[in-house]
Amino acid sequence: MLSTQDERAKRALVTGVSSGIGEAIAKRLLAEGWYVVGFSRSTPAFVDPGLAHAPVDLFDREALALALEGLGPLDAIVHAAGILRVGRLGELDPENARTMWRLHVDAAEQIVEALVPKLPDGGRIVLLGSRTAAGSPGRAQYAATKAAVVGMARSFAIELAPRQITVNVVAPGATDTPMLRDPRRASVAPKMPPIGRLVKPEEIAATTAFLLSEGAASITGQQIIVCGGASL
């Protein structure tokens, strides 16, 4: 399944393609002519001849390692899979912290470590962060993992700059995705951005696609916040 490819020019791995921001990114890249290998536990609801989906549990290090071994050459990596668990001081669950760290930080590290040798000079890496990385009440554990993503991305960017491989973080604010409507976050409701609406997943996808484009070849080690003015 992962070895077939049509005449599309470039190949990207996108995680979390079955919903939300990951799905929007995959659709955007497909529309721009990319071939997309999608990792997620659930099967995407959309079908495209340029999409090869692999059912992968990113929480399972061994399963992820096996899936990564089966990939051919790539031009870009986009780690968009994410979860949110909330909790205020006095009610923090260490298991939530471990779960989010595994998906946001450890899985990203594992993916990049395995696939950088397959990236050509001038390849691209985009990790999904969060505006919350700067801190937010009730989201300390989540914020910690997303802050770690920024530090990791900047470190990767410095190491990979001699190969002209860029590494950036796209950090959404409150975005209209299924994760935002998760009842487990009911105690910490999102705030409406100053623009008066939630960020659209398609807007995050557009920013990601730009970072993968030729016009972004000199942008690396940056966190681009897309939050509708919430960080002002």
Short mmCIF file of all heavy atoms in Angstrom, two decimals, residues 89-122:
data_model
loop_
_atom_site.label_atom_id
_atom_site.label_comp_id
_atom_site.label_asym_id
_atom_site.label_seq_id
_atom_site.Cartn_x
_atom_site.Cartn_y
_atom_site.Cartn_z
N LEU A 89 -4.15 22.54 39.19
CA LEU A 89 -3.35 22.13 40.33
C LEU A 89 -4.24 21.53 41.42
O LEU A 89 -5.30 22.06 41.72
CB LEU A 89 -2.59 23.33 40.90
CG LEU A 89 -1.34 23.76 40.11
CD1 LEU A 89 -0.82 25.08 40.65
CD2 LEU A 89 -0.27 22.69 40.19
N GLY A 90 -3.81 20.43 41.97
CA GLY A 90 -4.59 19.72 42.96
C GLY A 90 -5.36 18.55 42.40
O GLY A 90 -5.83 17.70 43.15
N GLU A 91 -5.47 18.51 41.05
CA GLU A 91 -6.20 17.40 40.41
C GLU A 91 -5.45 16.88 39.19
O GLU A 91 -6.03 16.19 38.35
CB GLU A 91 -7.59 17.88 39.98
CG GLU A 91 -7.59 19.07 39.05
CD GLU A 91 -8.98 19.61 38.77
OE1 GLU A 91 -9.83 19.60 39.68
OE2 GLU A 91 -9.21 20.03 37.62
N LEU A 92 -4.15 17.16 39.10
CA LEU A 92 -3.37 16.72 37.94
C LEU A 92 -3.15 15.22 37.97
O LEU A 92 -2.83 14.64 39.01
CB LEU A 92 -2.01 17.45 37.92
CG LEU A 92 -2.07 18.96 37.70
CD1 LEU A 92 -0.66 19.54 37.76
CD2 LEU A 92 -2.72 19.29 36.36
N ASP A 93 -3.31 14.59 36.81
CA ASP A 93 -3.13 13.16 36.65
C ASP A 93 -1.81 12.91 35.91
O ASP A 93 -1.67 13.29 34.75
CB ASP A 93 -4.30 12.58 35.84
CG ASP A 93 -4.23 11.07 35.71
OD1 ASP A 93 -3.18 10.48 36.00
OD2 ASP A 93 -5.25 10.48 35.28
N PRO A 94 -0.82 12.30 36.57
CA PRO A 94 0.47 12.07 35.92
C PRO A 94 0.35 11.25 34.63
O PRO A 94 1.16 11.41 33.72
CB PRO A 94 1.28 11.32 36.98
CG PRO A 94 0.64 11.70 38.27
CD PRO A 94 -0.82 11.85 37.97
N GLU A 95 -0.66 10.38 34.57
CA GLU A 95 -0.82 9.57 33.36
C GLU A 95 -1.17 10.43 32.15
O GLU A 95 -0.75 10.15 31.03
CB GLU A 95 -1.90 8.50 33.58
CG GLU A 95 -2.02 7.50 32.44
CD GLU A 95 -0.72 6.76 32.18
OE1 GLU A 95 0.02 6.48 33.14
OE2 GLU A 95 -0.45 6.45 30.99
N ASN A 96 -1.95 11.50 32.39
CA ASN A 96 -2.25 12.42 31.30
C ASN A 96 -0.97 13.07 30.77
O ASN A 96 -0.80 13.22 29.56
CB ASN A 96 -3.21 13.51 31.78
CG ASN A 96 -4.63 13.01 31.93
OD1 ASN A 96 -5.00 11.98 31.37
ND2 ASN A 96 -5.43 13.73 32.69
N ALA A 97 -0.09 13.45 31.68
CA ALA A 97 1.16 14.06 31.26
C ALA A 97 2.00 13.09 30.44
O ALA A 97 2.57 13.46 29.41
CB ALA A 97 1.95 14.52 32.49
N ARG A 98 2.07 11.84 30.88
CA ARG A 98 2.85 10.84 30.15
C ARG A 98 2.26 10.59 28.77
O ARG A 98 2.99 10.44 27.78
CB ARG A 98 2.93 9.55 30.95
CG ARG A 98 3.89 9.60 32.13
CD ARG A 98 4.08 8.23 32.75
NE ARG A 98 2.90 7.81 33.48
CZ ARG A 98 2.71 8.03 34.77
NH1 ARG A 98 3.61 8.70 35.48
NH2 ARG A 98 1.62 7.59 35.38
N THR A 99 0.93 10.53 28.70
CA THR A 99 0.27 10.27 27.42
C THR A 99 0.53 11.38 26.42
O THR A 99 0.86 11.14 25.25
CB THR A 99 -1.24 10.10 27.64
OG1 THR A 99 -1.47 8.96 28.49
CG2 THR A 99 -1.97 9.88 26.32
N MET A 100 0.39 12.63 26.87
CA MET A 100 0.61 13.75 25.96
C MET A 100 2.07 13.87 25.57
O MET A 100 2.40 14.21 24.42
CB MET A 100 0.09 15.05 26.60
CG MET A 100 -1.43 15.12 26.66
SD MET A 100 -2.06 16.73 27.23
CE MET A 100 -1.67 16.64 28.98
N TRP A 101 2.98 13.61 26.51
CA TRP A 101 4.40 13.67 26.19
C TRP A 101 4.75 12.64 25.12
O TRP A 101 5.51 12.92 24.19
CB TRP A 101 5.25 13.45 27.44
CG TRP A 101 6.72 13.59 27.17
CD1 TRP A 101 7.59 12.62 26.75
CD2 TRP A 101 7.48 14.79 27.26
NE1 TRP A 101 8.85 13.14 26.59
CE2 TRP A 101 8.81 14.47 26.89
CE3 TRP A 101 7.17 16.10 27.64
CZ2 TRP A 101 9.82 15.42 26.88
CZ3 TRP A 101 8.18 17.05 27.63
CH2 TRP A 101 9.49 16.70 27.25
N ARG A 102 4.21 11.45 25.26
CA ARG A 102 4.50 10.40 24.28
C ARG A 102 4.08 10.84 22.88
O ARG A 102 4.84 10.69 21.92
CB ARG A 102 3.79 9.10 24.66
CG ARG A 102 3.74 8.04 23.55
CD ARG A 102 5.12 7.65 23.04
NE ARG A 102 5.04 6.99 21.74
CZ ARG A 102 6.09 6.77 20.95
NH1 ARG A 102 7.29 7.19 21.31
NH2 ARG A 102 5.94 6.18 19.80
N LEU A 103 2.87 11.38 22.74
CA LEU A 103 2.37 11.72 21.41
C LEU A 103 3.01 12.99 20.86
O LEU A 103 3.41 13.03 19.70
CB LEU A 103 0.85 11.88 21.46
CG LEU A 103 0.17 12.14 20.12
CD1 LEU A 103 0.44 11.01 19.13
CD2 LEU A 103 -1.34 12.32 20.31
N HIS A 104 3.09 14.02 21.67
CA HIS A 104 3.56 15.31 21.15
C HIS A 104 5.07 15.40 21.02
O HIS A 104 5.58 16.00 20.07
CB HIS A 104 3.08 16.43 22.08
CG HIS A 104 1.60 16.51 22.21
ND1 HIS A 104 0.97 17.10 23.27
CD2 HIS A 104 0.61 16.05 21.40
CE1 HIS A 104 -0.35 17.01 23.12
NE2 HIS A 104 -0.58 16.37 22.00
N VAL A 105 5.80 14.80 21.96
CA VAL A 105 7.25 14.98 21.99
C VAL A 105 7.98 13.70 21.59
O VAL A 105 8.77 13.69 20.64
CB VAL A 105 7.71 15.44 23.40
CG1 VAL A 105 9.22 15.73 23.39
CG2 VAL A 105 6.94 16.66 23.85
N ASP A 106 7.72 12.62 22.30
CA ASP A 106 8.47 11.39 22.07
C ASP A 106 8.21 10.82 20.68
O ASP A 106 9.15 10.40 19.99
CB ASP A 106 8.12 10.37 23.16
CG ASP A 106 9.02 9.15 23.13
OD1 ASP A 106 10.24 9.32 22.95
OD2 ASP A 106 8.52 8.02 23.27
N ALA A 107 6.95 10.81 20.24
CA ALA A 107 6.65 10.30 18.90
C ALA A 107 7.26 11.20 17.82
O ALA A 107 7.77 10.70 16.81
CB ALA A 107 5.14 10.19 18.70
N ALA A 108 7.22 12.51 18.04
CA ALA A 108 7.85 13.42 17.08
C ALA A 108 9.34 13.14 16.97
O ALA A 108 9.91 13.09 15.87
CB ALA A 108 7.60 14.86 17.49
N GLU A 109 9.98 12.98 18.12
CA GLU A 109 11.42 12.66 18.12
C GLU A 109 11.69 11.35 17.39
O GLU A 109 12.62 11.25 16.57
CB GLU A 109 11.91 12.57 19.56
CG GLU A 109 13.35 12.11 19.70
CD GLU A 109 13.68 11.76 21.14
OE1 GLU A 109 13.57 12.65 22.00
OE2 GLU A 109 14.04 10.60 21.40
N GLN A 110 10.88 10.34 17.66
CA GLN A 110 11.08 9.04 17.04
C GLN A 110 10.92 9.12 15.53
O GLN A 110 11.69 8.53 14.76
CB GLN A 110 10.08 8.02 17.63
CG GLN A 110 10.26 6.61 17.09
CD GLN A 110 9.25 5.63 17.68
OE1 GLN A 110 8.44 5.99 18.54
NE2 GLN A 110 9.29 4.39 17.21
N ILE A 111 9.92 9.86 15.09
CA ILE A 111 9.66 9.99 13.65
C ILE A 111 10.81 10.71 12.96
O ILE A 111 11.33 10.26 11.93
CB ILE A 111 8.32 10.73 13.41
CG1 ILE A 111 7.16 9.83 13.84
CG2 ILE A 111 8.18 11.14 11.95
CD1 ILE A 111 5.83 10.56 13.93
N VAL A 112 11.21 11.85 13.50
CA VAL A 112 12.27 12.63 12.88
C VAL A 112 13.59 11.85 12.90
O VAL A 112 14.32 11.80 11.90
CB VAL A 112 12.43 14.00 13.57
CG1 VAL A 112 13.64 14.74 13.03
CG2 VAL A 112 11.16 14.83 13.37
N GLU A 113 13.90 11.23 14.01
CA GLU A 113 15.14 10.46 14.14
C GLU A 113 15.20 9.38 13.07
O GLU A 113 16.25 9.14 12.45
CB GLU A 113 15.21 9.83 15.53
CG GLU A 113 16.40 8.91 15.77
CD GLU A 113 17.70 9.65 16.05
OE1 GLU A 113 17.68 10.89 16.12
OE2 GLU A 113 18.74 8.98 16.17
N ALA A 114 14.08 8.70 12.82
CA ALA A 114 14.06 7.60 11.86
C ALA A 114 14.07 8.08 10.42
O ALA A 114 14.65 7.41 9.55
CB ALA A 114 12.81 6.74 12.11
N LEU A 115 13.46 9.22 10.15
CA LEU A 115 13.22 9.62 8.76
C LEU A 115 14.17 10.68 8.21
O LEU A 115 14.22 10.87 6.99
CB LEU A 115 11.78 10.12 8.60
CG LEU A 115 10.70 9.07 8.87
CD1 LEU A 115 9.33 9.65 8.60
CD2 LEU A 115 10.92 7.81 8.03
N VAL A 116 14.90 11.37 9.06
CA VAL A 116 15.82 12.39 8.55
C VAL A 116 16.79 11.82 7.51
O VAL A 116 17.07 12.49 6.50
CB VAL A 116 16.57 13.07 9.72
CG1 VAL A 116 17.90 13.66 9.26
CG2 VAL A 116 15.71 14.17 10.31
N PRO A 117 17.30 10.60 7.69
CA PRO A 117 18.19 10.07 6.64
C PRO A 117 17.50 9.91 5.29
O PRO A 117 18.17 9.87 4.26
CB PRO A 117 18.62 8.71 7.20
CG PRO A 117 18.48 8.85 8.68
CD PRO A 117 17.27 9.71 8.86
N LYS A 118 16.16 9.82 5.29
CA LYS A 118 15.42 9.65 4.03
C LYS A 118 15.03 10.98 3.40
O LYS A 118 14.53 11.00 2.27
CB LYS A 118 14.16 8.81 4.27
CG LYS A 118 14.45 7.40 4.75
CD LYS A 118 13.18 6.58 4.88
CE LYS A 118 13.49 5.16 5.33
NZ LYS A 118 12.26 4.31 5.41
N LEU A 119 15.22 12.08 4.14
CA LEU A 119 14.89 13.38 3.59
C LEU A 119 16.03 13.88 2.70
O LEU A 119 17.20 13.75 3.06
CB LEU A 119 14.66 14.40 4.71
CG LEU A 119 13.38 14.29 5.54
CD1 LEU A 119 13.35 15.40 6.58
CD2 LEU A 119 12.14 14.35 4.66
N PRO A 120 15.69 14.49 1.56
CA PRO A 120 16.73 15.08 0.74
C PRO A 120 17.20 16.40 1.32
O PRO A 120 16.53 16.98 2.18
CB PRO A 120 16.01 15.30 -0.60
CG PRO A 120 14.61 15.60 -0.18
CD PRO A 120 14.35 14.70 1.00
N ASP A 121 18.33 16.88 0.90
CA ASP A 121 18.73 18.24 1.26
C ASP A 121 17.63 19.18 0.78
O ASP A 121 17.14 19.06 -0.35
CB ASP A 121 20.06 18.60 0.61
CG ASP A 121 21.23 17.84 1.23
OD1 ASP A 121 21.00 17.11 2.21
OD2 ASP A 121 22.35 17.98 0.72
N GLY A 122 17.24 20.12 1.64
CA GLY A 122 16.14 21.00 1.31
C GLY A 122 14.78 20.45 1.72
O GLY A 122 13.75 21.05 1.41
#
